[in-house]
PDB file of all heavy atoms in Angstrom:
ATOM      1  N   VAL A 181      -3.607 -13.590   2.958  1.00  0.00           N
ATOM      2  CA  VAL A 181      -2.584 -13.259   3.933  1.00  0.00           C
ATOM      3  C   VAL A 181      -1.769 -12.063   3.525  1.00  0.00           C
ATOM      4  O   VAL A 181      -1.358 -11.230   4.364  1.00  0.00           O
ATOM      5  CB  VAL A 181      -1.654 -14.473   4.153  1.00  0.00           C
ATOM      6  CG1 VAL A 181      -0.544 -14.162   5.160  1.00  0.00           C
ATOM      7  CG2 VAL A 181      -2.458 -15.662   4.625  1.00  0.00           C
ATOM      8  N   ILE A 255      -2.223  -6.040   2.242  1.00  0.00           N
ATOM      9  CA  ILE A 255      -1.128  -5.863   3.219  1.00  0.00           C
ATOM     10  C   ILE A 255      -1.512  -4.687   4.090  1.00  0.00           C
ATOM     11  O   ILE A 255      -1.492  -3.509   3.623  1.00  0.00           O
ATOM     12  CB  ILE A 255       0.232  -5.648   2.527  1.00  0.00           C
ATOM     13  CG1 ILE A 255       0.560  -6.923   1.711  1.00  0.00           C
ATOM     14  CG2 ILE A 255       1.323  -5.408   3.561  1.00  0.00           C
ATOM     15  CD1 ILE A 255       1.834  -6.823   0.935  1.00  0.00           C
ATOM     16  N   ALA A 256      -1.810  -4.947   5.341  1.00  0.00           N
ATOM     17  CA  ALA A 256      -2.394  -3.921   6.208  1.00  0.00           C
ATOM     18  C   ALA A 256      -1.370  -2.959   6.773  1.00  0.00           C
ATOM     19  O   ALA A 256      -0.197  -3.296   6.886  1.00  0.00           O
ATOM     20  CB  ALA A 256      -3.154  -4.626   7.353  1.00  0.00           C
ATOM     21  N   PHE A 257      -1.866  -1.757   7.083  1.00  0.00           N
ATOM     22  CA  PHE A 257      -1.205  -0.743   7.912  1.00  0.00           C
ATOM     23  C   PHE A 257      -0.069   0.012   7.236  1.00  0.00           C
ATOM     24  O   PHE A 257       0.341   1.052   7.726  1.00  0.00           O
ATOM     25  CB  PHE A 257      -0.686  -1.348   9.229  1.00  0.00           C
ATOM     26  CG  PHE A 257      -1.749  -1.884  10.098  1.00  0.00           C
ATOM     27  CD1 PHE A 257      -1.863  -3.266  10.311  1.00  0.00           C
ATOM     28  CD2 PHE A 257      -2.683  -1.063  10.696  1.00  0.00           C
ATOM     29  CE1 PHE A 257      -2.874  -3.772  11.127  1.00  0.00           C
ATOM     30  CE2 PHE A 257      -3.701  -1.587  11.489  1.00  0.00           C
ATOM     31  CZ  PHE A 257      -3.789  -2.940  11.703  1.00  0.00           C
ATOM     32  N   VAL A 258       0.458  -0.454   6.126  1.00  0.00           N
ATOM     33  CA  VAL A 258       1.549   0.273   5.452  1.00  0.00           C
ATOM     34  C   VAL A 258       1.051   1.639   5.014  1.00  0.00           C
ATOM     35  O   VAL A 258       1.697   2.640   5.205  1.00  0.00           O
ATOM     36  CB  VAL A 258       2.093  -0.536   4.257  1.00  0.00           C
ATOM     37  CG1 VAL A 258       3.151   0.292   3.497  1.00  0.00           C
ATOM     38  CG2 VAL A 258       2.719  -1.870   4.730  1.00  0.00           C
ATOM     39  N   ALA A 292      10.142  -6.031   6.245  1.00  0.00           N
ATOM     40  CA  ALA A 292       9.180  -6.950   6.855  1.00  0.00           C
ATOM     41  C   ALA A 292       9.215  -8.329   6.190  1.00  0.00           C
ATOM     42  O   ALA A 292       9.140  -9.361   6.864  1.00  0.00           O
ATOM     43  CB  ALA A 292       7.791  -6.368   6.758  1.00  0.00           C
ATOM     44  N   GLN A 306       4.450 -14.865   6.197  1.00  0.00           N
ATOM     45  CA  GLN A 306       4.210 -13.975   5.048  1.00  0.00           C
ATOM     46  C   GLN A 306       4.251 -12.530   5.515  1.00  0.00           C
ATOM     47  O   GLN A 306       3.954 -12.185   6.667  1.00  0.00           O
ATOM     48  CB  GLN A 306       2.857 -14.290   4.397  1.00  0.00           C
ATOM     49  CG  GLN A 306       2.747 -15.740   3.890  1.00  0.00           C
ATOM     50  CD  GLN A 306       3.793 -16.052   2.809  1.00  0.00           C
ATOM     51  OE1 GLN A 306       4.393 -15.170   2.229  1.00  0.00           O
ATOM     52  NE2 GLN A 306       3.969 -17.329   2.547  1.00  0.00           N
ATOM     53  N   VAL A 307       4.562 -11.646   4.564  1.00  0.00           N
ATOM     54  CA  VAL A 307       4.798 -10.236   4.910  1.00  0.00           C
ATOM     55  C   VAL A 307       3.557  -9.558   5.467  1.00  0.00           C
ATOM     56  O   VAL A 307       3.652  -8.673   6.316  1.00  0.00           O
ATOM     57  CB  VAL A 307       5.291  -9.508   3.648  1.00  0.00           C
ATOM     58  CG1 VAL A 307       4.250  -9.442   2.572  1.00  0.00           C
ATOM     59  CG2 VAL A 307       5.805  -8.130   4.004  1.00  0.00           C
ATOM     60  N   GLY A 308       2.357  -9.988   5.051  1.00  0.00           N
ATOM     61  CA  GLY A 308       1.132  -9.404   5.560  1.00  0.00           C
ATOM     62  C   GLY A 308       0.970  -9.616   7.043  1.00  0.00           C
ATOM     63  O   GLY A 308       0.430  -8.756   7.756  1.00  0.00           O
ATOM     64  N   VAL A 309       1.427 -10.747   7.534  1.00  0.00           N
ATOM     65  CA  VAL A 309       1.374 -11.018   8.981  1.00  0.00           C
ATOM     66  C   VAL A 309       2.322 -10.139   9.739  1.00  0.00           C
ATOM     67  O   VAL A 309       2.003  -9.565  10.799  1.00  0.00           O
ATOM     68  CB  VAL A 309       1.670 -12.518   9.257  1.00  0.00           C
ATOM     69  CG1 VAL A 309       1.704 -12.811  10.743  1.00  0.00           C
ATOM     70  CG2 VAL A 309       0.675 -13.421   8.534  1.00  0.00           C
ATOM     71  N   ILE A 310       3.514  -9.957   9.176  1.00  0.00           N
ATOM     72  CA  ILE A 310       4.518  -9.089   9.859  1.00  0.00           C
ATOM     73  C   ILE A 310       4.056  -7.667   9.928  1.00  0.00           C
ATOM     74  O   ILE A 310       4.172  -6.995  10.981  1.00  0.00           O
ATOM     75  CB  ILE A 310       5.882  -9.208   9.152  1.00  0.00           C
ATOM     76  CG1 ILE A 310       6.378 -10.650   9.090  1.00  0.00           C
ATOM     77  CG2 ILE A 310       6.906  -8.279   9.812  1.00  0.00           C
ATOM     78  CD1 ILE A 310       6.646 -11.224  10.438  1.00  0.00           C
ATOM     79  N   THR A 311       3.554  -7.113   8.837  1.00  0.00           N
ATOM     80  CA  THR A 311       3.086  -5.737   8.877  1.00  0.00           C
ATOM     81  C   THR A 311       1.907  -5.528   9.816  1.00  0.00           C
ATOM     82  O   THR A 311       1.784  -4.463  10.439  1.00  0.00           O
ATOM     83  CB  THR A 311       2.709  -5.259   7.474  1.00  0.00           C
ATOM     84  OG1 THR A 311       1.661  -6.102   6.925  1.00  0.00           O
ATOM     85  CG2 THR A 311       3.891  -5.282   6.552  1.00  0.00           C
ATOM     86  N   ALA A 312       1.063  -6.555   9.942  1.00  0.00           N
ATOM     87  CA  ALA A 312      -0.060  -6.462  10.880  1.00  0.00           C
ATOM     88  C   ALA A 312       0.442  -6.462  12.328  1.00  0.00           C
ATOM     89  O   ALA A 312      -0.027  -5.668  13.152  1.00  0.00           O
ATOM     90  CB  ALA A 312      -1.014  -7.612  10.667  1.00  0.00           C
ATOM     91  N   LEU A 313       1.433  -7.293  12.628  1.00  0.00           N
ATOM     92  CA  LEU A 313       1.965  -7.356  13.983  1.00  0.00           C
ATOM     93  C   LEU A 313       2.675  -6.053  14.374  1.00  0.00           C
ATOM     94  O   LEU A 313       2.577  -5.603  15.492  1.00  0.00           O
ATOM     95  CB  LEU A 313       2.940  -8.521  14.093  1.00  0.00           C
ATOM     96  CG  LEU A 313       2.357  -9.950  14.036  1.00  0.00           C
ATOM     97  CD1 LEU A 313       3.482 -10.981  14.020  1.00  0.00           C
ATOM     98  CD2 LEU A 313       1.435 -10.163  15.251  1.00  0.00           C
ATOM     99  N   VAL A 314       3.363  -5.432  13.407  1.00  0.00           N
ATOM    100  CA  VAL A 314       4.068  -4.192  13.674  1.00  0.00           C
ATOM    101  C   VAL A 314       3.132  -2.995  13.581  1.00  0.00           C
ATOM    102  O   VAL A 314       3.180  -2.071  14.369  1.00  0.00           O
ATOM    103  CB  VAL A 314       5.223  -4.006  12.700  1.00  0.00           C
ATOM    104  CG1 VAL A 314       5.891  -2.639  12.898  1.00  0.00           C
ATOM    105  CG2 VAL A 314       6.264  -5.109  12.886  1.00  0.00           C
ATOM    106  N   GLY A 315       2.207  -3.063  12.621  1.00  0.00           N
ATOM    107  CA  GLY A 315       1.369  -1.900  12.358  1.00  0.00           C
ATOM    108  C   GLY A 315       0.271  -1.697  13.392  1.00  0.00           C
ATOM    109  O   GLY A 315      -0.069  -0.518  13.683  1.00  0.00           O
ATOM    110  N   ALA A 316      -0.292  -2.738  13.947  1.00  0.00           N
ATOM    111  CA  ALA A 316      -1.408  -2.554  14.896  1.00  0.00           C
ATOM    112  C   ALA A 316      -1.010  -1.718  16.105  1.00  0.00           C
ATOM    113  O   ALA A 316      -1.723  -0.782  16.472  1.00  0.00           O
ATOM    114  CB  ALA A 316      -1.949  -3.915  15.317  1.00  0.00           C
ATOM    115  N   PRO A 317       0.122  -1.995  16.755  1.00  0.00           N
ATOM    116  CA  PRO A 317       0.510  -1.093  17.887  1.00  0.00           C
ATOM    117  C   PRO A 317       0.769   0.321  17.419  1.00  0.00           C
ATOM    118  O   PRO A 317       0.469   1.288  18.147  1.00  0.00           O
ATOM    119  CB  PRO A 317       1.803  -1.756  18.409  1.00  0.00           C
ATOM    120  CG  PRO A 317       1.746  -3.179  17.966  1.00  0.00           C
ATOM    121  CD  PRO A 317       1.045  -3.126  16.650  1.00  0.00           C
ATOM    122  N   LEU A 318       1.342   0.504  16.213  1.00  0.00           N
ATOM    123  CA  LEU A 318       1.586   1.872  15.750  1.00  0.00           C
ATOM    124  C   LEU A 318       0.301   2.610  15.485  1.00  0.00           C
ATOM    125  O   LEU A 318       0.229   3.838  15.679  1.00  0.00           O
ATOM    126  CB  LEU A 318       2.426   1.819  14.481  1.00  0.00           C
ATOM    127  CG  LEU A 318       3.866   1.292  14.677  1.00  0.00           C
ATOM    128  CD1 LEU A 318       4.601   1.257  13.362  1.00  0.00           C
ATOM    129  CD2 LEU A 318       4.650   2.169  15.647  1.00  0.00           C
TER     130      LEU A 318
END
Side-chain angles (χ1 to χ4, degrees):
V181 178
I255 298 178
F257 298 111
V258 175
Q306 302 299 344
V307 66
V309 176
I310 301 297
T311 59
L313 291 174
V314 175
L318 292 178

